[in-house]
Amino acid sequence: MKILAIETSCDDTSVSVLETPSTVLSSIVSSQIDIHKEFGGVVPEIAARAHIKNMIPVLDEALNVANSKMDNIDIIATTKGPGLIGSLIVGVNTAKTLAYMYKKPLIAVHHTEGHIYANFLGKKPENQPQFPLVCLTASGGHTNIIYMKSHLDYEIVGDTEDDAAGEAFDKVAKMLGLGYPGGPIVSKLAQKGNPSAFNFPRVDLTKKPERNEEGFLVKAEESLDFSFSGLKTAVLREVKKLTTEGKALTEKQKNDICASFQEIATDILTRNLLRAVKKFEPKSVLLSGGVAANLLLREKIQLELKKIKCSASFFFPELEYCMDNAAMIGAVAYIRAQNNKFVTQGDLTPDPNLRLR
Ligand code: KG4
Ligand code: ZN
């Protein structure tokens, strides 16, 4: 069985051909970073137009590298949402047109489930994550902790109240004039900085203990939700303080801000994931999304799991599968096909606010 998968939810045009999550025949990603970086972030209208321009060359390359033709593709899959509407429309309409022309069945995928299943890519079935699992998925658009008892069964147990983790990295980079996307630049400068130089807030949404109806103090359950806006504002306040009277930030100050911010952002992500691990006692712990590329975050999670003598295996995707890519959409499509979850042409409409269920 060959699946052709398409992903265009944000600023990467990607097409992949795969047989199973273990056997990826091609994974082509055309990044638009060079176009958007001069604006300091993704410009939706420009992204949509660039997808239209890139789609056919990326599709041709994915088929060529996989040594395949449309005639021997069995299933076509695409990201239905969430994402930028103009970007989603390009992927969805390409998938629908190909399915109509070549008479192929269609599968619709949620972008976040793609990120979770990136952890299954390129691994033999016996080395893939086991259920139940807990996954921290963090990117520029979302930050979630998801509990899964079995394939395609998602329970969102942690969400962000405001910014996504990747978005916070991007905004800090912007404040420091470092360019876009922020994650890779902030983590690079952080290597040269002092992580204790600035004491930014470690926001915890756990409520204070409350009295129940009988007047007894009830221990509050630790929150699995995130908030990054307080941390981001604290960085902004520090930058303003250091740049009064037209002063420019020194390299050392920039490195120290990056290191202190990264230290706290990764602490918050690790803390909540560990709370979920203690609560759900999963067989596998997964990290995914663009922020999963952060080496300090990977190290901290590994260390904390070891500290609590957790027997679960820890997974994170290959670097190329942390960022947006179509192979992860194909991995979900493989499981959906096994469960007969196909969609009709009429059902497949782009949904920028699609919920995971
Ligand atoms: O998954 P992704 O490619 O796109 C979205 O779905 O958003 O993630 C991109 C996000 C950006 O916010 C970027 O700054 C962040 O992932 N990112 C990182 C790192 N590499 C990318 N954040 C922290 N550390 C990194 N090394
Ligand atoms: Zn993504």
Side-chain angles (χ1 to χ4, degrees):
M1 183 172 76
K2 275 190 187 166
I3 299 169
L4 180 116
I6 300 172
E7 154 64 41
T8 62
S9 64
C10 189
D11 62 336
D12 292 304
T13 316
S14 181
V15 179
S16 168
V17 177
L18 48 81
E19 285 175 339
T20 68
S22 321
T23 330
V24 181
L25 303 180
S26 65
S27 171
I28 309 299
V29 183
S30 169
S31 164
Q32 301 175 10
I33 284 177
D34 285 343
I35 311 175
H36 297 287
K37 73 179 175 202
E38 66 174 292
F39 303 101
V42 178
V43 183
E45 289 78 8
I46 296 177
R49 259 179 254 144
H51 282 307
I52 296 172
K53 196 164 146 247
N54 296 339
M55 180 49 76
I56 301 297
V58 171
L59 174 66
D60 282 344
E61 196 181 340
L63 287 167
N64 283 341
V65 172
N67 211 1
S68 302
K69 291 198 161 44
M70 276 314 298
D71 287 328
N72 43 54
I73 294 293
D74 301 292
I75 292 168
I76 296 174
T78 188
T79 306
K80 177 180 163 75
L84 303 171
I85 183 66
S87 294
L88 289 167
I89 285 173
V90 182
V92 165
N93 284 328
T94 306
K96 287 170 80 167
T97 308
L98 291 172
Y100 183 73
M101 281 170 66
Y102 295 94
K103 300 192 173 38
K104 309 288 180 192
L106 275 169
I107 288 182
V109 175
H110 188 287
H111 183 75
T112 305
E113 62 179 338
H115 275 302
I116 302 170
Y117 276 89
N119 276 295
F120 289 71
L121 287 170
K123 291 170 187 138
K124 289 185 188 153
E126 62 271 26
N127 296 331
Q128 286 171 350
Q130 307 252 310
F131 296 97
L133 64 79
V134 163
C135 179
L136 166 63
T137 171
S139 75
H142 65 266
T143 304
N144 290 123
I145 298 179
I146 293 158
Y147 174 54
M148 292 176 71
K149 285 193 196 130
S150 59
H151 277 304
L152 308 178
D153 171 17
Y154 310 102
E155 189 184 341
I156 299 178
V157 295
D159 204 346
T160 178
E161 298 261 305
D162 38 59
D163 293 348
E167 190 182 355
F169 274 88
D170 294 337
K171 287 181 177 164
V172 167
K174 202 168 180 177
M175 289 171 211
L176 300 177
L178 299 175
Y180 173 85
I185 318 170
V186 168
S187 56
K188 194 164 167 223
L189 295 199
Q191 286 173 353
K192 296 181 269 179
N194 171 7
S196 339
F198 298 98
N199 192 17
F200 299 132
R202 257 179 196 75
V203 178
D204 186 351
L205 296 173
T206 297
K207 292 193 189 78
K208 292 201 170 70
E210 284 171 11
R211 288 194 189 279
N212 66 11
E213 282 157 15
E214 285 106 46
F216 291 112
L217 211 52
V218 180
K219 188 174 175 280
E221 197 180 340
E222 291 176 323
S223 178
L224 302 180
D225 290 331
F226 302 94
S227 167
F228 290 102
S229 73
L231 171 58
K232 180 191 70 186
T233 310
V235 175
L236 181 64
R237 231 179 278 129
E238 194 60 50
V239 171
K240 280 193 176 152
K241 209 166 83 190
L242 294 169
T243 53
T244 47
E245 294 157 16
K247 272 188 270 172
L249 288 174
T250 63
E251 292 304 304
K252 185 180 179 318
Q253 283 170 333
K254 284 188 192 178
N255 295 344
D256 284 349
I257 290 174
C258 287
S260 304
F261 162 78
Q262 181 183 241
E263 180 71 12
I264 289 164
T266 52
D267 268 2
I268 293 170
L269 291 165
T270 307
R271 178 195 68 204
N272 287 18
L273 177 61
L274 260 288
R275 284 177 181 172
V277 169
K278 285 181 200 155
K279 183 168 175 187
F280 296 102
E281 300 181 347
K283 282 200 183 135
S284 305
V285 179
L286 277 59
L287 177 63
S288 72
V291 182
N294 190 286
L295 298 180
L296 182 67
L297 178 61
R298 292 179 182 186
E299 278 169 22
K300 281 188 183 175
I301 295 171
Q302 238 148 1
L303 189 77
E304 291 304 316
L305 289 173
K306 212 170 155 188
K307 267 195 208 161
I308 62 163
K309 296 194 172 57
C310 177
S311 59
S313 317
F314 177 45
F315 293 84
F316 45 83
E318 296 288 331
L319 208 54
E320 65 171 315
Y321 299 137
C322 286
M323 310 302 171
D324 289 349
N325 66 88
M328 67 187 196
I329 303 304
V332 179
Y334 177 81
I335 307 292
R336 286 198 171 271
Q338 285 187 323
N339 289 276
N340 224 4
K341 289 187 183 287
F342 293 93
V343 292
T344 63
Q345 287 269 346
D347 286 339
L348 184 51
T349 46
D351 183 350
N353 303 312
L354 186 67
R355 301 269 300 269
L356 183 65
R357 54 177 137 240

